[in-house]
Amino acid sequence: MKYLVELHKHFKDKGNTELAAGMSAYMKNRFTFLGIKQPKRKQLLAEFTKKHGLPNQETIDGVLIGLWSFPYREYHYCGVELFQKLIKKSDADKIHIIEYMLEYHQWWDTVDLISSNIVGVHFKNHPDLIPVYFNKWLQSDNFWLNRVMLLFQLKYKQETDKELLSQAILTLSDSSEFFIQKAIGWSLREYSKHNKDWVTHFVNTHKLAPLSVREASKYL
């Protein structure tokens, strides 16, 4: 697609090999980087979209699949940021491309961004999707999809569904996976800013991993 070709041209020579090595090491060498730090990457993407515009609802799926096929992690971040600008007006069936983004090139950096900035918005706009995908992802053998169900409400504040949050936590509370224990604590810590009493009671009345308790208790 011309859009992807032009985006690649705009980014490909802007990296730094020394930065790339450090960025890759920080991500446990799971991904290759161009070596473009976040502020510069956001500036470059803003310049690109000012000239070429955003994808539309018909082309965004192809753009995202194309960006996800690139070996450099910066392109995956660009995909998330482009989709964020469109998700509020996206039809319910965009859940399929969201699921694709969550299932490929999985690591905390993209999963966490997609959870609160894309899944959270999409579920709020299309609540009929929640019963299907909440149960599907919560029961998945893929702990990254489990993590999404703990984090998608991070920005819901007072609108957080306590029953869903409780169900997700209690379903996963016996997990030995670091990223699950951490996410349990993070979800509770964030909600404690808006409902300290509920979180305090929850932590005191349920058996949680020490890591989860430490994370949850930061503001208690």
Side-chain angles (χ1 to χ4, degrees):
M1 297 173 67
K2 183 179 179 181
Y3 193 89
L4 291 171
V5 171
E6 294 300 324
L7 191 149
H8 178 55
K9 287 181 181 177
H10 191 68
F11 275 78
K12 67 175 183 177
D13 297 324
K14 308 297 193 308
N16 178 298
T17 54
E18 290 185 11
L19 286 177
M23 294 166 75
S24 182
Y26 181 68
M27 289 297 169
K28 309 294 185 183
N29 294 309
R30 289 175 176 268
F31 306 103
T32 304
F33 284 81
L34 289 168
I36 303 174
K37 291 285 190 177
Q38 178 176 297
K40 185 177 180 181
R41 186 190 76 242
K42 287 181 175 291
Q43 178 189 341
L44 289 170
L45 186 61
E47 293 170 357
F48 177 81
T49 56
K50 183 176 181 179
K51 180 177 180 180
H52 297 278
L54 293 170
N56 57 39
Q57 295 290 348
E58 288 69 41
T59 61
I60 186 61
D61 290 24
V63 169
L64 290 171
I65 290 171
L67 289 171
W68 242 243
S69 73
F70 288 172
Y72 298 106
R73 194 59 163 167
E74 286 92 343
Y75 291 122
H76 307 161
Y77 299 148
C78 286
V80 174
E81 290 164 11
L82 288 171
F83 201 16
Q84 279 183 242
K85 298 179 185 299
L86 302 175
I87 194 61
K88 287 184 178 180
K89 297 182 179 180
S90 292
D91 291 337
D93 63 3
K94 290 301 180 189
I95 192 67
H96 301 300
I97 191 65
I98 295 172
E99 192 168 44
Y100 176 89
M101 295 166 71
L102 289 169
E103 290 182 334
Y104 292 91
H105 303 309
Q106 297 172 316
W107 198 238
W108 62 264
D109 52 343
T110 53
V111 167
D112 292 0
L113 286 172
I114 295 167
S115 296
S116 59
N117 296 316
I118 293 178
V119 176
V121 174
H122 202 57
F123 278 179
K124 188 170 282 191
N125 290 341
H126 304 284
D128 53 309
L129 293 173
I130 295 176
V132 176
Y133 285 89
F134 181 82
N135 289 315
K136 178 183 179 182
W137 292 349
L138 187 61
Q139 300 297 332
S140 173
D141 292 333
N142 185 327
F143 72 81
W144 290 114
L145 292 179
N146 302 158
R147 184 173 165 98
V148 176
M149 294 300 88
L150 293 164
L151 301 181
F152 80 92
Q153 297 192 86
L154 281 183
K155 296 185 177 180
Y156 281 19
K157 301 180 179 179
Q158 293 90 345
E159 296 179 11
T160 297
D161 186 321
K162 298 187 292 293
E163 285 70 30
L164 283 182
L165 179 59
S166 178
Q167 182 181 344
I169 292 171
L170 295 179
T171 299
L172 301 168
S173 60
D174 62 350
S175 174
S176 60
E177 171 56 53
F178 168 84
F179 287 105
I180 294 300
Q181 294 183 5
K182 187 87 168 178
I184 288 172
W186 184 9
S187 64
L188 289 169
R189 182 180 77 235
E190 193 63 27
Y191 188 45
S192 75
K193 298 176 183 177
H194 312 287
N195 195 338
K196 183 182 292 186
D197 291 343
W198 186 89
V199 174
T200 299
H201 182 263
F202 189 92
V203 170
N204 288 337
T205 56
H206 294 90
K207 184 179 179 180
L208 302 175
L211 172 60
S212 299
V213 174
R214 287 197 303 273
E215 291 291 322
S217 302
K218 183 175 181 180
Y219 302 125
L220 301 182

